[in-house]
């Protein structure tokens, strides 16, 4: 909940793109932009740089610069992009990149257990930021459909958040 406080988040929906833009050493790039910059195709970026179809947070130690790479391809729903952006913000905000001394969180950079733990933390973080049970309770949101519509997340994510909010 410190993140919500630090970024003055008191209402829904949360826009992770605005959060990224507000930080002086965080940059948002899209797969097609990175592909153009490195002279490769978008499939190459997804398969060999990100090792994911969704996104990646990268850290440039020399410049103390973070890049969040998102796939904005037609096959990626907007709800997924928002979740992924928030997931990648977590890796930066919680210090996953600096603490593990890696430039990106990928399964080949870390041992399986640590990678799984960091990915789990990032997913929990994304859910708490995009659909904070505290804010939802304040707004009196009562079902998973409302959560999906108001928070801009998928129906599956909304159902999971509904279960958490009613525990």
């Amino acid at each position: 909940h410190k993140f919500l406080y630090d970024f003055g988040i008191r209402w829904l929906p949360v826009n992770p793109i605005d959060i990224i833009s507000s930080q002086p050493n965080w940059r948002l790039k899209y797969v097609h932009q990175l592909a153009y910059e490195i002279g490769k195709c978008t499939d190459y970026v997804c398969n060999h740089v990100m090792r994911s179809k969704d996104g990646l947070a990268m850290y440039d130690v020399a410049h103390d610069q973070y890049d969040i790479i998102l796939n904005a391809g037609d096959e990626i729903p907007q709800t997924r992009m928002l979740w992924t952006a928030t997931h990648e913000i977590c890796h930066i905000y919680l210090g996953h990149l600096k603490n593990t001394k890696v430039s990106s969180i990928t399964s080949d950079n870390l041992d399986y257990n640590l990678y799984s733990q960091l990915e789990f933390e990032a997913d929990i973080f994304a859910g708490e930021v995009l659909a904070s049970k505290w804010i939802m309770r304040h707004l009196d949101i009562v079902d998973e459909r409302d959560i999906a519509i108001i928070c801009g997340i998928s129906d599956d994510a909304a159902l999971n958040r509904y279960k958490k909010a009613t525990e």
Side-chain angles (χ1 to χ4, degrees), residues 3-145:
F3 180 86
L4 299 175
Y5 177 80
D6 287 350
F7 284 86
I9 298 168
R10 294 179 187 86
W11 208 254
L12 300 172
V14 173
N15 186 338
I17 306 307
D18 288 346
I19 293 168
I20 295 166
S21 300
S22 75
Q23 299 306 296
N25 66 333
W26 298 9
R27 289 186 303 204
L28 175 62
K29 289 186 180 181
Y30 293 97
V31 167
H32 67 275
Q33 291 172 307
L34 183 58
Y36 178 79
E37 287 176 14
I38 65 174
K40 301 286 184 179
C41 68
T42 57
D43 284 342
Y44 179 88
V45 171
C46 290
N47 296 328
H48 300 286
V49 177
M50 296 190 331
R51 294 172 184 82
S52 163
K53 68 177 180 62
D54 295 320
L56 180 73
M58 298 173 66
Y59 181 55
D60 178 349
V61 177
H63 298 101
D64 191 33
Q65 176 72 48
Y66 294 96
D67 288 322
I68 293 178
I69 315 299
L70 293 179
N71 188 352
D74 293 337
E75 72 282 2
I76 307 295
Q78 182 68 18
T79 56
R80 185 71 196 166
M81 280 182 43
L82 292 177
W83 185 275
T84 301
T86 309
H87 173 107
E88 301 307 335
I89 286 170
C90 171
H91 289 311
I92 298 169
Y93 183 77
L94 294 183
H96 290 171
L97 295 158
K98 281 187 176 181
N99 294 343
T100 57
K101 297 179 175 47
V102 294
S103 61
S104 61
I105 304 295
T106 59
S107 60
D108 60 337
N109 282 351
L110 302 165
D111 76 65
Y112 176 79
N113 289 333
L114 180 57
Y115 173 76
S116 296
Q117 175 190 334
L118 297 179
E119 288 297 292
F120 177 77
E121 286 177 10
D123 279 337
I124 296 297
F125 179 97
E128 279 298 318
V129 169
L130 292 173
S132 166
K133 62 184 173 186
W134 308 109
I135 296 174
M136 287 189 299
R137 285 178 183 159
H138 177 74
L139 298 175
D140 201 27
I141 297 173
V142 295
D143 67 26
E144 61 269 18
R145 193 67 207 131

